Amino acid sequence: MDNFANLLDGFAHVLTPMNLLFALIGVTIGTAVGVLPGIGPAMTVALLLPVTYGMEPAQAFIMFAGIFYGGMYGGSTTSILLNTPGESSSVVTAIEGNKMAKAGRAAQALATAAIGSFVAGTIATVLLVVVTPPVVQFAISLGAPDYFALMLLAFVSVTAVLGASRVRGFASLLLGLVIGVIGIDQSGQQRLTFGVPQLADGIDVVVVAVGIFAVGEALWIAAHLRRKSGEVIPVGQPWLGKQDWKRSWKPWLRGTAFGFPFGAVPAGGAEIPTFLSYVTEKKLTKHPEEFGRGAIEGVAGPEAANNASAAGTLVPMLAIGLPTNATAAVMLAAFEGYGIQPGPLLFTRESSLVWTLIASLFVGNLLLLVLNLPLAPAWARLLRIPRPYLYAGILFFASMGAYAVNAQPFDLYLLLALGLLGFGMRRFGLPILPLIVGVILGPRAELQGRRALQLSGGELHGLIGGWVSWLIYATIAVVLLWPLIGRFVVRPLRGRVVTA
């Protein structure tokens, strides 16, 4: 009941003219950047971080929440009309969505994506309200060893699960940890500053995020630049017929059931649930002949899973302070920029801010539906912007944003160096998320590890607390040893079963 009262209080804060304006700005920007290929919500939030430092925290996070959800919405437009997913989570949508568009059903594909996103986002946000407070109560009972183990699990998860190679994932994490420890440590010693005074306070995470995401992406696109924009399939006003509604509503619900729990798991992301949703709809459909040719279920389910996972990522971020995707990692940096520490005490110390943020998700979701259905043809025109103009603008705003953090020219050199690092990571296939997680969680993992060792007098057994840390370390062992388990245990057993 208290949660319901807190949520109503959050709505009272959101439903003011100024906060509604920021919600509208957020969802509009989020949809626009989601539509444009290669520009995701993580990059946009990173670019806008310096701009929002002069704003009230509630207004900034209302806008960020709109960008977060809007980016998920907009990615489907690119996938359907251009067969070019703006986000990795929209890859599955392109399989059937673009086939529908080529068959003259672009309007129906966009409509089921937009309505499915609204349904999934609303249900998942309700689950966020229900699930997060119990998670907070559980998190309060954890000690320093448990938090240290949780952060190790986050490190292992984002490196071992994401990307095509575990080695590349761990290499990316190592880069992030190195960047994260630059500066003066808790004992007063300088680390990796190389005598440069500007590095004594460390590298601001905003400069890291903007450099890796925005500048790195712009340089990568410039290296593979095509001056001609893609051929966009024309679209009218999105609408669904009676048969389309009948075939879509069940995939929306099943997609939500896949997306939310995966979003809440470290490194679960939206890629796995969207694929599982697609496979499930392909097995359950009464029209199997349409799959591969433009089945509406293949758009409805994955898009619902995509947006449900977005709400799921906010559970560990708000309750424990663990980001499970790139956008959540950048939002975590935004909290720290305001001097707010996400975690179990956040709901006590900043209760009004948290419930305002959650209430804004409901409002933003409704605004997105209102924007996406009538304005789909307008969003499609954004795809015709020539890439040189688009990425020149991104570089300009990235430079302005990085300079605005500390008003030091040195940050511009750092921005260029980090942009080149981001370019190199894309060139050699290193995932970005482990680096960002390493930069943000590295110093916090060090802090919890120090506390655990201090409590035990420097003994290593101090890193192992109660049953929670034991369970987490067992999970880490399974994740790390899974390739060996699969090779020497699962395959021989499977071979015996087949032989028998």
Side-chain angles (χ1 to χ4, degrees), residues 24 37 91 121-122 159 178 212-213 221 259 286 302 327 330 334 350 364 423 427 438 446 449 460 462:
L24 181 61
V91 170
T122 303
T159 53
V178 169
I212 295 294
F213 282 112
I221 295 296
K286 295 179 181 178
T327 312
V330 180
E350 300 288 344
F423 173 82
R427 169 64 182 82
E446 180 188 17
L460 285 178

Side-chain angles (χ1 to χ4, degrees), residues 18 30 74 76 101 178 184 188 205 229 259 288 334 381 396 402 406 464 499:
M18 186 57 69
S76 63
V178 169
I184 300 175
V205 71
S229 59
R381 292 192 190 99
F396 172 75
N406 298 310
I464 301 175
T499 304

Side-chain angles (χ1 to χ4, degrees), residues 302-315:
E303 270 306 298
N306 183 13
N307 281 265
S309 72
T313 61
L314 296 178
V315 175

Side-chain angles (χ1 to χ4, degrees), residues 71-72 74-76 79 85-95 274 303 306:
M72 299 296 177
S76 63
S79 300
E87 287 279 293
S88 59
S89 54
S90 299
V91 170
V92 178
T93 304
I95 298 173
T274 52
E303 270 306 298
N306 183 13

Side-chain angles (χ1 to χ4, degrees), residues 196-280:
V196 180
Q198 290 90 340
L199 291 177
D201 291 331
I203 300 178
D204 195 288
V205 71
V206 175
V207 179
V208 176
V210 173
I212 295 294
F213 282 112
V215 179
E217 182 70 20
L219 293 175
W220 177 252
I221 295 296
H224 303 79
L225 192 61
R226 293 182 303 166
R227 293 185 175 273
K228 183 181 178 183
S229 59
E231 293 299 324
V232 184
I233 297 171
V235 57
Q237 292 295 345
W239 62 278
L240 288 178
K242 184 178 179 180
Q243 190 64 21
D244 294 326
W245 279 97
K246 186 177 179 181
R247 292 176 58 180
S248 294
W249 72 271
K250 288 182 181 178
W252 291 337
L253 297 179
R254 285 192 287 261
T256 305
F258 278 119
F260 184 81
F262 271 95
V265 174
E271 293 81 5
I272 297 174
T274 52
F275 177 75
L276 289 176
S277 174
Y278 179 78
V279 172
T280 301

